[in-house]
Amino acid sequence: MDILPILSTLRRHKLTAWLLILEIALTCAIVCNAVFLIGQRLERMDMPSGVAEHELLQIQVADMVAPANPYARVAEDMAVLRQVPGVISVASSNQVPFGSSSSNSNIRLDPAQVRWTLSATTYFGENLPKTLGTRLVSGRDLESSDFVDVDVAMKALGTGDAKHLPSVILITQTLAERLWPGQNPLGHIIYLAPTVGLRVVGVLDSLVRPNAYDISKAQYTTIVPLRMGANKDQSYLIRCRPEDRAHVLDAALAALKKVDPQRVVTTRRSFDEVRRKFFQDDRAMAGMLVGVIAALLIVTALGIVGLASFWVAQRRRTIGVRRALGATRRNILNYFQTENFLLATIGIALGMALAYAINLFLMLHYELPRLPAIYFPVGAIALWLIGQLAVLGPALRAAAVPPVVATRSV
Amino acid sequence: MFGYYLDLALRSLKRSPGLTALMMLAIGFGVAASMTTWSVFRGVSGDPIPWKSAQLFVPQIDSWGPSQKSGAGLHEPPDALAYADAIALMHDRRAALQSAIYAVAPTVLPAGEGRSPIPVFGFGVYGEFFPMLDVPFRYGSGWQAGDDGDGAPVIVISDALNRQVFGGGNSVGRNIDLDGRDYRVTGVLKPWNPQPMFFDVVDTGGFGGNGPDVFVPLQRAIASGMENAGAVNCPKGVQPGAGYAGLQKSNCVWLAYMVELDDESAVQNYRQYLDNYASVQQKLGRFDWPPNNRLRDMRAFLDHEHVVPDDTRVSLLVALGLLLVCLVNTAGLMLAKFLRRSGEIGVRRALGASRRAIHAQFLTEAAVIGVGGSALGLLLTAIGVFAVNRMLPPRLAELARIEPALLLLTVVVAIAASVLAGLYPTFRAARVQPAWQLKTN
């Protein structure tokens, strides 16, 4: 296919051709960056939790009549839950991974430190690592002798009485590496308050925090041996086989109701639901971005259709002359397809440069990572395809122009 | 004459209905899609109060001095206020509205036999807090200004707490037991849980939780010893004395502060006021360093505290890019159409039309397309917002608000872009000698 005649024709429509190129370039640049943003959202939604998600259930109950001893109530509930057929393990917890609501502590490595080193989430409750299914990579799990009742610990915090405070803590690998890079964390002391030093006795493979909004801090997690009493924030976590979840949940609720018929169930859900809820905004935003990309491509396609139809109508006589001089229908079709391919290619080349520039700007002003090279061909192929599809209709119409048009006056 | 041009424009548009529809669709689609996505992205870009965030400011006063400099770069003042500074600022009341804020975690004891105490979360604030942040009330309102000074036992409670304690309904005027003292309810909020919790990100970290349950007058909370549930940060080597008395005397920072400043001059005045305040403290010997204050608007402060993930903000640029592409698209189509009509212009010029008349005619036609497209755009925006409300999770949909001023601006830009696109070919065509144009045809 001869390109020169196409170029010389385009030179006669410089302004319109450039506007089309500009449109393609902008679309290409935006599509590259938007696809990248979607990729980041999807990556976030894939954030590992470190727990056996498909095997976990969460139940929260509210007692209308306060139990005389909230700790005894929890112990009774847990014993009852353990009896439910299909239940593998039961835990009591103050919060759940991806549950949004988080109890956080400001961690210091030295009690005299003014500014804390970092803020980590604190899980407490009994039997957590085993039920959640998070693996211990070194050290030991919490033992029942480590546990202190929350109220006792709070009181001790006020009086500074170290005897009634917990003395050990579990942390995640990520947190250990952040606090003591390259060292064995076991035996190190973490201060949650100037008077509360806790010795690291075990390191967890992975456990995500409830408020994992920032992926770099998502694993800043600790487990402290505090025993929960029955209250509105406390949850029961139940582990069972994935296929047993539905009937275990029903049976567990029935068992809890039996302990106290007046209590109200405030939360009952599987961990799949917890994750879905936590990332629902991300999913919605990714969906919006997909919508924007679709809108952009449609508008650009409409622009190409409009301009190509226009050019075809304008050149009817010229096309007729060419047909009369021996050009085949295929030649005419190819002409318009090649023209579009040329414009798209120039547009895409400019668009790549623009996409890169936009990304540089974003990296400078927002802490966004560099656009990986893989995203460039995505935009290019999308626009080549859209261009060829959009131009097909008008080009077919051009090819259908009969040679006899050449003999007619305007 | 305008009527005649309008008639000509409509005839010309009718001659090529496909192209006309395409141009109007492109404009309409561009306006609607960019406005809808903008409103959603804007909503989630960490601005929970977008209609007002530009008027809300967070003052920071350097009460620690340069010796506390941490890391490289400019010395930043602490991100909260010491008690003495917060109270002095409240006393002077130099902003339109202002409030010191601190987090509390008291316990509510519902009336009635055998009901268990409810640990709640809330804030000690001043009465101006509620109008300043447009806090939505279901019943009643915030307390009177007098209640702040008197430390009156009044309280504003959340919708959820109202249901939990009183079983819902209008509880204004009823009493609620907070840490063993009775507080009179002056207002019940609608469900209100802004994310990030922009008025106190230092204590809350910004996200999470089910929203505050209670608000009590700050002086009352302190007087009754309601503990600070948020962060307390002290300069190196400083240990505050015991209890509130010690904390109040120390330079430890633990109070958030927010002011409403309605225009640029008010902002300048407030900056000046902060510097004067710090100078006075320097003269008094409390600070032995020159004033080093910050007055960031709310969004800048959220940025400073790294509260908002960056990629949502980038999405805003994507929405704007969409509008840009649509406008370029329309301009291209319009140019193609108009540039081809030099013959028609030649005829009209030969028949005696002045250049002005030609300009007027074509600009009218361009404006018709622009206005038509924008009208379509407004319609599509309404549909878009409706769709957003139906499809997105309620929390996001609630945040999405169309800004009328921005919508108007978009429409004006769309019309201007189409008129501009019409201007160039008209200008070129009107310059050429009519005889020559007629001949080449």
Side-chain angles (χ1 to χ4, degrees):
Chain A
M1 188 70 213
D2 219 344
I3 289 178
L4 285 177
I6 298 179
L7 286 179
S8 76
T9 317
L10 284 179
R11 219 169 286 142
R12 296 186 46 144
H13 306 275
K14 241 184 262 162
L15 197 60
T16 22
W18 275 116
L19 276 174
L20 188 63
I21 290 174
L22 180 64
E23 185 182 344
I24 292 175
L26 281 172
T27 307
C28 178
I30 297 170
V31 166
C32 284
N33 277 287
V35 169
F36 176 51
L37 288 180
I38 293 173
Q40 288 211 306
R41 291 278 177 183
L42 294 183
E43 191 188 338
R44 226 178 87 78
M45 286 162 63
D46 261 349
M47 198 191 295
S49 62
V51 306
E53 284 182 44
H54 303 306
E55 301 173 18
L56 285 171
L57 302 167
Q58 179 197 8
I59 298 177
Q60 273 185 306
V61 288
D63 292 310
M64 296 311 284
V65 182
N69 180 347
Y71 296 96
R73 169 58 63 83
V74 170
E76 184 187 357
D77 283 346
M78 285 177 69
V80 163
L81 288 174
R82 248 177 245 123
Q83 299 306 315
V84 172
V87 169
I88 296 171
S89 174
V90 179
S92 149
S93 178
N94 63 328
Q95 57 188 24
V96 297
F98 292 135
S100 290
S101 176
S102 168
S103 159
N104 303 310
S105 305
N106 296 325
I107 288 187
R108 291 172 168 81
L109 296 180
D110 176 347
Q113 217 174 313
V114 175
R115 184 86 195 165
W116 57 81
T117 309
L118 54 83
S119 165
T121 190
T122 319
Y123 283 86
F124 41 91
E126 294 157 275
N127 208 14
L128 274 172
K130 189 165 158 259
T131 306
L132 289 171
T134 174
R135 203 166 50 82
L136 214 57
V137 286
S138 64
R140 64 168 175 89
D141 195 354
L142 299 174
E143 289 159 5
S144 60
S145 59
D146 297 326
F147 278 86
V148 178
D149 290 353
V150 173
D151 294 281
V152 174
M154 287 299 160
K155 211 171 284 168
L157 195 59
T159 57
D161 170 14
K163 241 191 356 222
H164 292 115
L165 285 169
S167 60
V168 297
I169 190 167
L170 300 182
I171 65 175
T172 55
Q173 275 187 105
T174 314
L175 183 58
E177 190 54 33
R178 165 72 180 73
L179 293 175
W180 307 284
Q183 296 177 39
N184 179 4
L186 294 179
H188 280 279
I189 307 282
I190 283 177
Y191 292 87
L192 300 188
T195 51
V196 187
L198 302 174
R199 189 163 44 87
V200 177
V201 293
V203 180
L204 299 167
D205 180 34
S206 158
L207 178 56
V208 82
R209 59 195 298 165
N211 53 346
Y213 297 105
D214 178 352
I215 203 164
S216 65
K217 294 174 185 156
Q219 289 277 341
Y220 286 5
T221 306
T222 63
I223 302 182
V224 177
L226 287 170
R227 202 175 289 116
M228 293 282 290
N231 71 38
K232 69 167 176 150
D233 293 323
Q234 177 245 346
S235 295
Y236 294 113
L237 304 180
I238 299 173
R239 182 148 171 209
C240 62
R241 285 186 309 180
E243 61 273 22
D244 293 344
R245 279 179 295 180
H247 77 250
V248 166
L249 187 60
D250 289 339
L253 290 172
L256 286 175
K257 278 276 194 189
K258 223 170 175 181
V259 174
D260 175 359
Q262 277 188 297
R263 61 185 12 180
V264 182
V265 177
T266 53
T267 310
R268 45 171 293 181
R269 54 182 181 175
S270 71
F271 256 68
D272 294 340
E273 288 166 63
V274 176
R275 178 184 270 274
R276 212 175 305 132
K277 176 148 186 281
F278 186 76
F279 289 111
Q280 79 178 2
D281 285 7
D282 291 279
R283 205 168 24 250
M285 295 304 283
M288 283 291 285
L289 282 172
V290 170
V292 169
I293 292 180
L296 260 176
L297 292 179
I298 290 172
V299 167
T300 307
L302 285 182
I304 294 173
V305 171
L307 220 51
S309 315
F310 199 79
W311 278 341
V312 169
Q314 197 177 10
R315 297 176 201 163
R316 260 178 85 80
R317 218 170 102 87
T318 335
I319 296 168
V321 171
R322 276 200 66 197
R323 292 276 282 123
L325 289 179
T328 60
R329 280 167 195 273
R330 175 151 288 282
N331 288 144
I332 304 291
L333 189 68
N334 282 346
Y335 175 91
F336 281 97
Q337 285 173 332
T338 314
E339 184 184 66
N340 181 271
F341 184 77
L342 269 182
L343 291 174
T345 308
I346 302 173
I348 288 166
L350 284 177
M352 298 285 178
L354 193 61
Y356 186 67
I358 292 177
N359 181 241
L360 274 188
F361 170 82
L362 295 180
M363 276 167 54
L364 266 180
H365 290 265
Y366 306 95
E367 290 150 14
L368 223 66
R370 178 178 294 280
L371 186 64
I374 184 80
Y375 288 98
F376 287 105
V378 171
I381 290 170
L383 279 159
W384 267 317
L385 274 180
I386 288 286
Q388 287 302 313
L389 280 179
V391 87
L392 193 62
L396 281 174
R397 236 174 303 137
V401 171
V404 73
V405 169
T407 63
R408 291 188 194 140
S409 59
V410 182
Chain B
M1 264 336 246
F2 178 70
Y4 174 59
Y5 296 142
L6 203 60
D7 184 46
L8 279 183
L10 292 180
R11 274 167 198 270
S12 153
L13 295 179
K14 244 183 265 168
R15 255 202 315 275
S16 46
L19 195 64
T20 308
L22 213 59
M23 286 193 276
M24 287 193 178
L25 260 180
I27 295 183
F29 201 62
V31 169
S34 56
M35 279 303 100
T36 311
T37 43
W38 173 278
S39 70
V40 174
F41 289 142
R42 177 79 189 266
V44 295
S45 67
D47 193 342
I49 175 167
W51 61 97
K52 208 166 178 186
S53 59
Q55 280 117 274
L56 297 176
F57 290 79
V58 178
Q60 288 168 266
I61 293 175
D62 190 2
S63 50
W64 290 5
S67 65
Q68 300 284 337
K69 180 169 169 163
S70 58
L74 272 174
H75 170 53
E76 277 289 329
D79 49 17
L81 293 185
Y83 181 77
D85 297 323
I87 295 307
L89 260 50
M90 271 323 293
H91 182 261
D92 289 346
R93 280 182 204 271
R94 290 301 176 85
L97 294 168
Q98 58 246 295
S99 178
I101 301 156
Y102 89 99
V104 295
T107 305
V108 167
L109 188 66
E113 207 48 32
R115 296 187 66 180
S116 51
I118 308 167
V120 295
F121 169 69
F123 294 93
V125 298
Y126 282 79
E128 293 170 23
F129 177 88
F130 304 102
M132 177 166 70
L133 304 185
D134 289 343
V135 181
F137 279 89
R138 173 150 288 157
Y139 305 112
S141 64
W143 50 82
Q144 303 300 313
D147 294 336
D148 283 321
D150 305 344
V154 286
I155 189 169
V156 167
I157 62 175
S158 69
D159 178 59
L161 189 65
N162 184 42
R163 267 182 288 136
Q164 213 173 344
V165 175
F166 298 118
N170 187 348
S171 321
V172 172
R174 297 176 73 166
N175 282 336
I176 187 168
D177 181 319
L178 200 66
D179 281 352
R181 289 183 173 82
D182 269 348
Y183 286 73
R184 184 172 50 82
V185 175
T186 68
V188 177
L189 300 186
K190 289 183 180 161
W192 188 65
N193 184 21
Q195 300 280 313
M197 213 173 269
F198 59 98
F199 50 87
D200 191 2
V201 288
V202 175
D203 282 338
T204 61
F207 289 97
N210 300 321
D213 304 304
V214 295
F215 293 92
V216 288
L218 183 134
Q219 291 296 2
R220 169 74 195 182
I222 290 178
S224 49
M226 219 176 269
E227 263 180 64
N228 172 27
V232 179
N233 285 303
C234 299
K236 258 180 220 132
V238 172
Q239 274 291 335
Y244 259 114
L247 204 52
Q248 281 168 310
K249 275 194 213 103
S250 74
N251 265 349
C252 298
V253 298
W254 52 283
L255 291 133
Y257 203 94
M258 192 161 266
V259 298
E260 176 178 336
L261 302 168
D262 289 328
D263 53 43
E264 190 47 42
S265 70
V267 176
Q268 285 310 325
N269 289 341
Y270 203 80
R271 258 183 232 287
Q272 189 60 46
Y273 158 70
L274 286 180
D275 285 348
N276 290 346
Y277 171 78
S279 307
V280 170
Q281 298 299 314
Q282 192 185 357
K283 281 199 197 90
L284 290 173
R286 185 165 154 246
F287 300 167
D288 59 357
W289 48 86
N292 174 32
N293 305 320
R294 302 283 183 278
L295 185 62
R296 292 185 164 95
D297 69 37
M298 199 195 86
R299 300 178 68 165
F301 188 73
L302 292 183
D303 268 354
H304 174 64
E305 297 282 314
H306 296 290
V307 171
V308 177
D310 283 323
D311 64 338
T312 46
R313 199 137 346 125
V314 174
S315 308
L316 284 179
L317 298 178
V318 173
L320 278 188
L322 183 61
L323 179 64
L324 190 65
V325 167
C326 288
L327 292 183
V328 169
N329 186 351
T330 312
L333 293 178
M334 191 105 67
L335 270 182
K337 185 173 161 92
F338 281 15
L339 277 176
R340 201 186 159 204
R341 287 163 64 188
S342 55
E344 180 193 331
I345 295 173
V347 172
R348 284 208 63 213
R349 291 268 282 130
L351 291 178
S354 68
R355 279 184 191 160
R356 269 179 70 105
I358 303 286
H359 283 312
Q361 181 205 334
F362 278 72
L363 289 185
T364 309
E365 189 174 331
V368 166
I369 294 174
V371 170
S374 300
L376 189 66
L378 290 180
L379 187 74
L380 290 177
T381 308
I383 295 175
V385 170
F386 179 74
V388 160
N389 280 328
R390 293 298 294 274
M391 285 173 351
L392 291 187
R395 199 184 74 67
L396 284 188
E398 212 171 273
L399 288 173
R401 290 198 188 205
I402 290 289
E403 294 158 72
L406 197 66
L407 188 59
L408 190 70
L409 181 71
T410 316
V411 166
V412 169
V413 167
I415 296 175
S418 47
V419 168
L420 268 182
L423 203 62
Y424 172 76
T426 328
F427 176 73
R428 229 177 62 164
R431 241 183 5 185
V432 180
Q433 284 300 316
W436 193 79
Q437 268 170 348
L438 286 176
K439 222 191 286 175
T440 53
N441 210 21

